[in-house]
Structure formats: structure tokens, C-alpha cells
């Protein structure tokens, strides 16, 4: 019996290279969407890639707990500082939401 092969066979076997499949190092796939007249880069993050980190969703102003799959979106012309982490449902409903976020009295402002 031969030993198991643990490394990829190369780009020639599947016809695509690692950079063309749209998946990043965060376990998700990346796409481009148009919203409010500009292009946005959108990356879907797997829950396993978000271990030990929590984020605040700009759509609902609630925390995204660590280990929960979510979406990272940023304007295509911007850099790393403009990335925002959204719940998947909040990102999908971004056109149906109002511009004014209502916070409770004790909610922190981020």
C-alpha cells in the first residue's frame, strides 16, 4: 500500500490555480457586488475561521459571536480599514433597512 498524498497535485490536474477559485485563507469565497452605486468586495467567512473573535454588525448593531459564519464587506476602492463584518441575513437585507439605527439606552456606541 502506498502512503497517502497530503499535498495538492498541482493546478494542472483541476485546471484552476489556487488563486482562481475565489476562496481565501479565511475559509470562505469572495465575490463582488454593487450596492448604493459602488462596487463592494464581499467575503463569506466560515465559522471555524472566526474563533476567538467577535464583531459588531453594522446592519443590526448586535454582536456577532465568535465561531459564527458571517460576511465581511468593504468598498472595492478602499483598504483594509473599511472592512465591516455583517450577519449574513443583515447583509442580504441591507436594501430593506432604514438608515437610522435605533439603539437602546445602554447600548455602547461603536
Amino acid at each position: 500500500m502506498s502512503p497517502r498524498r497530503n499535498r495538492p497535485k498541482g493546478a494542472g490536474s483541476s485546471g484552476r490555480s489556487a488563486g482562481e477559485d475565489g476562496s481565501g485563507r479565511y475559509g470562505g469565497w469572495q465575490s463582488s457586488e454593487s450596492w448604493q452605486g459602488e462596487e463592494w468586495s464581499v467575503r463569506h467567512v466560515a465559522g471555524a475561521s472566526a474563533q476567538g473573535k467577535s464583531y459588531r454588525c453594522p446592519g443590526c448593531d448586535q454582536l456577532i459571536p465568535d465561531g459564527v459564519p458571517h460576511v465581511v464587506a468593504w468598498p472595492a476602492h478602499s483598504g483594509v480599514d473599511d472592512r465591516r463584518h455583517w450577519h449574513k441575513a443583515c447583509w442580504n437585507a441591507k436594501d430593506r433597512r432604514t438608515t437610522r439605527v435605533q439603539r437602546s439606552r445602554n447600548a455602547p456606541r461603536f
Side-chain angles (χ1 to χ4, degrees):
M1 179 186 267
S2 333
R4 190 175 86 187
R5 177 175 270 216
N6 288 329
R7 58 185 177 269
K9 293 181 180 179
S13 63
S14 67
R16 296 181 353 175
S17 67
E20 294 175 353
D21 65 354
S23 64
R25 66 179 242 221
Y26 299 106
W29 52 275
Q30 186 170 334
S31 63
S32 179
E33 293 183 23
S34 180
W35 181 48
Q36 293 182 341
E38 62 182 320
E39 282 296 310
W40 287 71
S41 296
V42 180
R43 178 177 292 150
H44 295 263
V45 178
S49 301
Q51 292 288 31
K53 305 170 196 163
S54 61
Y55 304 99
R56 185 163 298 273
C57 175
C60 65
D61 201 38
Q62 300 295 315
L63 283 179
I64 302 172
D66 64 335
V68 173
H70 60 279
V71 173
V72 180
W74 65 97
H77 62 83
S78 299
V80 179
D81 294 338
D82 292 329
R83 289 184 301 185
R84 296 295 175 259
H85 296 255
W86 295 68
H87 292 107
K88 287 183 180 181
C90 293
W91 177 254
N92 292 336
K94 64 190 174 296
D95 293 325
R96 297 187 301 266
R97 292 191 177 274
T98 62
T99 57
R100 184 172 175 260
V101 176
Q102 296 179 357
R103 295 183 174 92
S104 66
R105 280 187 267 168
N106 297 329
R109 297 188 182 267
F110 289 97

